[in-house]
PDB file of all heavy atoms in Angstrom:
ATOM      1  N   ILE A  10      -8.458  11.447  25.519  1.00  0.00           N
ATOM      2  CA  ILE A  10      -9.839  11.885  25.851  1.00  0.00           C
ATOM      3  C   ILE A  10     -10.276  11.141  27.042  1.00  0.00           C
ATOM      4  O   ILE A  10     -10.420   9.894  27.012  1.00  0.00           O
ATOM      5  CB  ILE A  10     -10.769  11.672  24.605  1.00  0.00           C
ATOM      6  CG1 ILE A  10     -10.247  12.389  23.405  1.00  0.00           C
ATOM      7  CG2 ILE A  10     -12.212  12.164  24.958  1.00  0.00           C
ATOM      8  CD1 ILE A  10     -10.975  12.058  22.131  1.00  0.00           C
ATOM      9  N   GLN A  11     -10.687  11.873  28.067  1.00  0.00           N
ATOM     10  CA  GLN A  11     -11.080  11.153  29.286  1.00  0.00           C
ATOM     11  C   GLN A  11     -12.578  10.786  29.088  1.00  0.00           C
ATOM     12  O   GLN A  11     -13.357  11.446  28.473  1.00  0.00           O
ATOM     13  CB  GLN A  11     -10.939  12.066  30.473  1.00  0.00           C
ATOM     14  CG  GLN A  11      -9.513  12.351  30.806  1.00  0.00           C
ATOM     15  CD  GLN A  11      -9.361  13.220  32.004  1.00  0.00           C
ATOM     16  OE1 GLN A  11     -10.323  13.616  32.656  1.00  0.00           O
ATOM     17  NE2 GLN A  11      -8.100  13.502  32.339  1.00  0.00           N
ATOM     18  N   ASP A  12     -12.979   9.716  29.684  1.00  0.00           N
ATOM     19  CA  ASP A  12     -14.370   9.261  29.699  1.00  0.00           C
ATOM     20  C   ASP A  12     -14.888   9.006  28.292  1.00  0.00           C
ATOM     21  O   ASP A  12     -16.071   9.243  27.958  1.00  0.00           O
ATOM     22  CB  ASP A  12     -15.275  10.197  30.477  1.00  0.00           C
ATOM     23  CG  ASP A  12     -14.894  10.321  31.885  1.00  0.00           C
ATOM     24  OD1 ASP A  12     -14.472   9.366  32.499  1.00  0.00           O
ATOM     25  OD2 ASP A  12     -15.018  11.429  32.432  1.00  0.00           O
ATOM     26  N   PHE A  13     -14.071   8.500  27.362  1.00  0.00           N
ATOM     27  CA  PHE A  13     -14.465   8.223  26.024  1.00  0.00           C
ATOM     28  C   PHE A  13     -15.150   6.884  25.976  1.00  0.00           C
ATOM     29  O   PHE A  13     -14.672   5.922  26.477  1.00  0.00           O
ATOM     30  CB  PHE A  13     -13.245   8.196  25.085  1.00  0.00           C
ATOM     31  CG  PHE A  13     -13.602   7.790  23.689  1.00  0.00           C
ATOM     32  CD1 PHE A  13     -14.202   8.750  22.822  1.00  0.00           C
ATOM     33  CD2 PHE A  13     -13.425   6.541  23.183  1.00  0.00           C
ATOM     34  CE1 PHE A  13     -14.488   8.463  21.534  1.00  0.00           C
ATOM     35  CE2 PHE A  13     -13.791   6.197  21.858  1.00  0.00           C
ATOM     36  CZ  PHE A  13     -14.290   7.113  21.052  1.00  0.00           C
ATOM     37  N   MET A  14     -16.320   6.802  25.375  1.00  0.00           N
ATOM     38  CA  MET A  14     -17.109   5.564  25.277  1.00  0.00           C
ATOM     39  C   MET A  14     -17.842   5.529  23.875  1.00  0.00           C
ATOM     40  O   MET A  14     -18.047   6.575  23.304  1.00  0.00           O
ATOM     41  CB  MET A  14     -18.180   5.517  26.385  1.00  0.00           C
ATOM     42  CG  MET A  14     -17.558   5.405  27.772  1.00  0.00           C
ATOM     43  SD  MET A  14     -18.785   5.267  29.146  1.00  0.00           S
ATOM     44  CE  MET A  14     -20.290   5.076  28.428  1.00  0.00           C
TER      45      MET A  14
END
Side-chain angles (χ1 to χ4, degrees):
I10 302 172
Q11 293 180 2
D12 300 325
F13 177 79
M14 293 180 9

